[in-house]
Amino acid sequence: MLRVSLQVLQGVSAKKEAALWNAGIRSWDDYERHFFPQRSLIENDSEQSSSASVELRRLREALVARDVAFFADRLERSEHYRIVLEFPEDALFLDIETTGLSRYYDQITLIGWCIGNRRGVHVQGQPDWAFRQALLSARSIVTFNGTLFDLPFIRHTKADIEFPAVHVDLRFLARRVGLTGGQKSIEKQIGMNRDSEVSEVSGEFAPVLWHRYVSGDLDALKALIKYNMADLDGMFSIFSHVSLKLAQAHQLPEEATGLLKALSRLKAPPRLDEQAIAKHLIPYPANQVRPIRLEDIVFVDRSPRLKVVGIDLTGSEKRPSGWCLLDGREASTAQIATDDELIALTHRANPHVVSIDSPLSLPEGRICVEDTDPGRQEFGIMRYCERVLKRRGVNVYPALLPSMQRLTARGIRLADRFRKLGIPVIESYPGAAQDIMRIPRKQNGLEYLEQGLAAFGISGQYVKGGVSHDELDAITSAAVGVFFWAGMMERLGPDPLGDEALIIPDLRVDLAVSRSRLVIGLSGALGAGKTTAARYLESLGCHYCRYSEVVERIVAARMPTYSRADILAEGEEIHAVKGQRWLGRQLIEPLLGKHLLVIDGLRFPEDHAFLTEVYGSQFLHIHVLSSEQQRRARFSDREGSSAVFDVQSRRDIESHFETMATLARDIIANDGSREHLHRAVDRIVKRDWRG
């Protein structure tokens, strides 16, 4: 085929080559006879003739030497299939199977290959030397969509692998003859039918077969190998079909190209027989990393157990949402329609955190979900977290896609209502979490998702079946809440404290680092002793801060002299206009590097929710409780009068201390001596700090 490829000659473009072919000049020999008829008689008749002589000699030498790199440099990448046709015995056909589409989160499970009359398969966890030897002997490689998938995946997994300079991607080659779509679609278009034993297996189902194999099903691995071999056979058929179509389009005769002879040498080698396949049917190696389980992350049987609510939210209250309470390892699920019902059921469950499968924020710069937003053109419809997942190969819908707008609006409203109750809320994406946890997605069959969740260590009635896919995704969302609470998570957002963030599991986190941090927040009614406790913690090495410091800085920047009343008024204005989350960000942002931190003066349920969302289980909320008589006496000693106590106690910021007591992890009764308070603080810190 290379002998008729005139594009390898200097100055011959694709257009000029087509014109030469149409003129009957269809080989190097034709070219030489037509343009340099006297070259053999007068070797140096002109400079042009001499140059042509050197070039044609180099071409023929490269052909004899099978120097594919030389021809790869002379031909456009789209024409590299000609090199494969010239040296068919040296072409490696390659196809991989993976646990998913993301190189970032997924792994290669199987590599199938054919070269010459040999065929082989490499199963992840088994030796790969045969594949490496086949690759070393190859002068070219043929894939279907390998440019975007197979080769980058292999490079990511096996960094020392080197591929030949010639790569033919059949997905793009087929487009030249009008064949589009996936490989199986093109196979049908060219009239190819797969064997019945693999015809029903799809690429989406391949991860399920691997999941079943890892769980002990050797027949599943056998089915996966046979499916991969069918993929390779299909690639040979597509390559042959497209090559013939391209030759016909250019009206190149068989005697000129030797195409049929080349294709006869390029037939798929025989499939592996049962005996050859059986050599790979060994149990998944015990030395491979064991899939992570729930009990590896948190204590599931120790009281009080971690409680997480997961919600797979729908865009309308008319359609029920999946709801799950994960209490320790036990999952109970339901389908809930309205926001009020979701709020009420979740509030009664009293979870540590709520994990919602829905966008809970707008793209930075946007002010509403509708396309009428004046920032629509400038800021778009996609958030930072969605762009990150797209780059990592995880399919995700933009938050403000028209079909997503109602869901996003509902998610934001629901999260705001939860946070006002003091319930921390995170955003989760079950599909991405399932990929990371190596659990098949619901699209592959609910029974496999159920099995994957059960293998992760979650028990409950769902394992018997009969639950909806929304409830299974709600269980997965709850599992993401467990990863969040343990600190084994990645916060996908433009900044560590912004609302535009998505929580996904991260199995690579060093928990020793996150668990060395302790952030203590103190709440309590006026005069209860929270500042006394906070200052004692400061003496133990904690960095001290309080919400009123932020308010005071704002007031001080505006007026040279100010009173306590000015600070209180400014705090109320911030709470009403900007909100407690804004105030919390101003307080925490400069302190993110602190591993021991005490925050004095949590007064609103939103404070508890925000700090939990930032620090997870490393946030310890302590409520200091004291009788009104004691509080009044302390305040009078400090201020010189008890009259102000009554005024301050009636302010809105002092009206939530009963709710704050229900949200706190620990309550300290402070009606005794200061030393008694210190001892109570010591007991809690020694229990929770792992530093």
Side-chain angles (χ1 to χ4, degrees):
M1 185 67 184
L2 286 178
R3 293 178 179 84
V4 305
S5 297
L6 304 182
Q7 288 186 50
V8 298
L9 295 160
Q10 291 183 5
V12 178
S13 64
K15 184 177 180 180
K16 185 174 180 180
E17 180 186 60
L20 291 170
W21 281 345
N22 288 333
I25 302 170
R26 295 177 173 177
S27 69
W28 301 343
D29 293 340
D30 290 346
Y31 186 87
E32 185 176 28
R33 283 193 297 267
H34 182 81
F35 289 103
F36 311 105
Q38 301 301 317
R39 188 189 64 77
S40 59
L41 298 177
I42 308 173
E43 193 67 34
N44 297 313
D45 60 341
S46 69
E47 183 178 338
Q48 182 184 18
S49 177
S50 177
S51 175
S53 174
V54 170
E55 182 176 19
L56 287 164
R57 185 172 66 250
R58 289 180 61 193
L59 287 172
R60 291 176 174 122
E61 290 173 351
L63 190 64
V64 172
R66 308 174 78 86
D67 187 354
V68 296
F70 175 85
F71 292 106
D73 288 339
R74 293 291 188 103
L75 286 169
E76 294 291 333
R77 186 172 295 274
S78 60
E79 302 300 329
H80 282 189
Y81 78 96
R82 303 184 189 187
I83 302 175
V84 174
L85 288 168
E86 186 66 41
F87 308 113
E89 297 88 352
D90 300 328
L92 181 83
F93 281 67
L94 176 89
D95 183 57
I96 69 171
E97 309 300 336
T98 67
T99 56
L101 301 178
S102 171
R103 298 194 303 274
Y104 198 88
Y105 298 119
D106 293 303
Q107 63 174 335
I108 295 174
T109 59
L110 186 149
I111 301 175
W113 50 269
C114 299
I115 184 169
N117 61 357
R118 293 178 292 151
R119 187 191 291 256
V121 62
H122 161 57
V123 178
Q124 192 266 326
Q126 299 178 16
D128 67 350
W129 61 267
F131 165 65
R132 289 178 177 271
Q133 287 298 317
L135 189 58
L136 283 173
S137 65
R139 284 185 166 84
S140 62
I141 190 166
V142 181
T143 67
F144 190 96
N145 200 34
T147 304
L148 301 178
F149 189 72
D150 301 68
L151 301 195
F153 233 118
I154 294 174
R155 288 190 184 101
H156 182 78
T157 305
K158 303 176 183 292
D160 61 327
I161 287 284
E162 291 188 9
F163 293 105
V166 176
H167 172 212
V168 176
D169 191 328
L170 295 175
R171 177 187 174 191
F172 301 105
L173 188 69
R175 286 182 183 178
R176 297 179 60 186
V177 296
L179 296 171
T180 59
Q183 178 175 336
K184 294 171 192 61
S185 172
I186 292 177
E187 288 176 9
K188 291 179 180 178
Q189 293 175 57
I190 66 176
M192 177 187 170
N193 295 313
R194 294 198 171 198
D195 297 344
S196 58
E197 64 177 339
V198 296
S199 60
E200 299 302 318
V201 180
S202 65
E204 292 76 16
F205 192 71
V208 174
L209 291 174
W210 180 257
H211 174 75
R212 285 166 48 184
Y213 162 60
V214 171
S215 301
D217 185 352
L218 295 182
D219 285 338
L221 177 58
K222 182 178 180 180
L224 184 62
I225 292 172
K226 289 187 174 182
Y227 168 71
N228 180 266
M229 288 194 293
D231 271 353
L232 288 167
D233 290 346
M235 289 165 56
F236 276 93
S237 296
I238 293 171
F239 186 91
S240 297
H241 181 90
V242 173
S243 298
L244 285 169
K245 287 291 185 183
L246 289 172
Q248 291 168 3
H250 292 295
Q251 298 181 339
L252 293 175
E254 159 60 19
E255 60 270 18
T257 63
L259 184 58
L260 294 178
K261 183 179 179 181
L263 292 176
S264 69
R265 291 151 58 203
L266 195 63
K267 287 183 178 179
R271 293 187 180 182
L272 300 179
D273 58 25
E274 295 293 323
Q275 185 176 1
I277 293 176
K279 294 179 181 179
H280 298 284
L281 301 184
I282 59 177
Y284 190 66
N287 63 349
Q288 295 294 308
V289 177
R290 179 177 70 86
I292 195 165
R293 290 178 55 85
L294 185 65
E295 58 263 31
D296 299 328
I297 307 172
V298 293
F299 296 111
V300 292
D301 299 316
R302 180 182 296 182
S303 183
R305 295 190 300 268
L306 174 65
K307 292 200 290 186
V308 181
V309 164
I311 300 175
D312 182 36
L313 196 64
T314 61
S316 169
E317 293 183 85
K318 295 179 181 178
R319 198 172 128 239
S321 298
W323 184 91
C324 168
L325 171 62
L326 183 58
D327 187 349
R329 66 167 75 248
E330 186 75 15
S332 53
T333 66
Q335 295 188 76
I336 310 297
T338 69
D339 288 357
D340 288 343
E341 290 171 320
L342 285 168
I343 294 286
L345 185 60
T346 301
H347 197 220
R348 285 198 300 272
N350 191 27
H352 292 82
V353 64
V354 173
S355 175
I356 302 180
D357 174 19
S358 165
L360 302 183
S361 61
L362 301 175
E364 190 173 4
R366 293 292 298 269
I367 60 174
C368 69
V369 301
E370 291 82 11
D371 288 336
T372 55
D373 183 342
R376 167 67 176 82
Q377 294 301 318
E378 181 179 357
F379 302 109
I381 63 173
M382 184 175 281
R383 298 176 299 163
Y384 174 89
C385 58
E386 290 145 4
R387 291 194 296 271
V388 171
L389 287 178
K390 284 283 189 182
R391 288 196 296 269
R392 293 180 181 179
V394 178
N395 188 36
V396 60
Y397 293 112
L400 297 187
L401 197 70
S403 61
M404 290 283 291
Q405 290 175 0
R406 286 200 305 170
L407 174 63
T408 299
R410 187 184 185 193
I412 292 171
R413 288 196 308 269
L414 198 61
D416 184 60
R417 290 183 62 181
F418 278 130
R419 287 162 175 161
K420 281 183 166 57
L421 293 171
I423 301 174
V425 181
I426 62 169
E427 179 183 334
S428 56
Y429 177 33
Q434 288 154 4
D435 290 347
I436 296 166
M437 296 162 66
R438 304 281 193 261
I439 294 176
R441 292 198 186 194
K442 61 189 177 187
Q443 293 91 330
N444 299 314
L446 295 188
E447 68 273 22
Y448 300 113
L449 177 52
E450 290 167 358
Q451 292 168 13
L453 291 169
F456 178 63
I458 298 176
S459 57
Q461 287 296 314
Y462 80 93
V463 298
K464 298 180 180 179
V467 299
S468 66
H469 64 84
D470 298 314
E471 290 169 275
L472 292 176
D473 273 349
I475 296 174
T476 308
S477 283
V480 175
V482 174
F483 281 100
F484 161 79
W485 190 256
M488 291 186 66
M489 58 88 182
E490 183 179 7
R491 192 186 304 270
L492 295 183
D495 67 79
L497 296 177
D499 287 333
E500 189 189 335
L502 173 68
I503 302 299
I504 58 174
D506 189 343
L507 309 184
R508 303 161 300 178
V509 168
D510 184 355
L511 290 180
V513 175
S514 63
R515 289 176 178 173
S516 67
R517 168 182 283 169
L518 182 61
V519 177
I520 301 172
L522 289 158
S523 64
L526 187 67
K530 55 185 177 294
T531 298
T532 302
R535 289 300 183 184
Y536 175 64
L537 285 164
E538 183 183 26
S539 73
L540 297 178
C542 291
H543 182 90
Y544 174 88
C545 65
R546 65 182 191 275
Y547 277 89
S548 58
E549 289 176 345
V550 178
V551 181
E552 191 171 349
R553 286 198 301 268
I554 294 171
V555 173
R558 194 172 62 244
M559 56 182 73
T561 59
Y562 53 89
S563 64
R564 178 179 175 82
D566 293 324
I567 296 174
L568 291 171
E570 183 69 25
E572 291 174 350
E573 175 74 10
I574 289 173
H575 176 72
V577 178
K578 295 183 177 180
Q580 285 301 116
R581 293 179 71 80
W582 180 89
L583 184 62
R585 280 194 288 269
Q586 307 309 305
L587 176 67
I588 294 301
E589 189 170 16
L591 305 173
L592 285 175
K594 303 294 183 182
H595 274 241
L596 278 176
L597 182 64
V598 58
I599 304 170
D600 185 7
L602 279 68
R603 289 186 168 86
F604 294 93
E606 297 101 308
D607 297 335
H608 172 89
F610 173 74
L611 291 170
T612 303
E613 290 172 26
V614 173
Y615 294 110
S617 61
Q618 270 55 66
F619 171 61
L620 171 59
H621 180 179
I622 301 174
H623 187 79
V624 183
L625 194 64
S626 186
S627 67
E628 183 177 342
Q629 181 181 358
Q630 287 275 16
R631 293 190 292 110
R632 184 182 292 275
R634 293 188 190 115
F635 192 87
S636 179
D637 290 343
R638 189 177 71 200
E639 300 293 333
S641 169
S642 63
V644 182
F645 179 84
D646 294 322
V647 176
Q648 298 291 358
S649 296
R650 289 193 292 270
R651 286 184 173 271
D652 181 58
I653 61 173
E654 299 295 337
S655 65
H656 303 280
F657 65 88
E658 291 182 357
T659 301
M660 299 301 283
T662 66
L663 296 172
R665 199 184 307 179
D666 289 280
I667 295 178
I668 294 177
N670 183 31
D671 283 327
S673 66
R674 180 169 295 197
E675 289 71 23
H676 180 270
L677 175 64
H678 291 174
R679 285 196 297 273
V681 170
D682 284 339
R683 284 195 298 272
I684 294 171
V685 171
K686 287 178 182 177
R687 180 199 69 199
D688 284 70
W689 185 42
R690 299 176 177 86

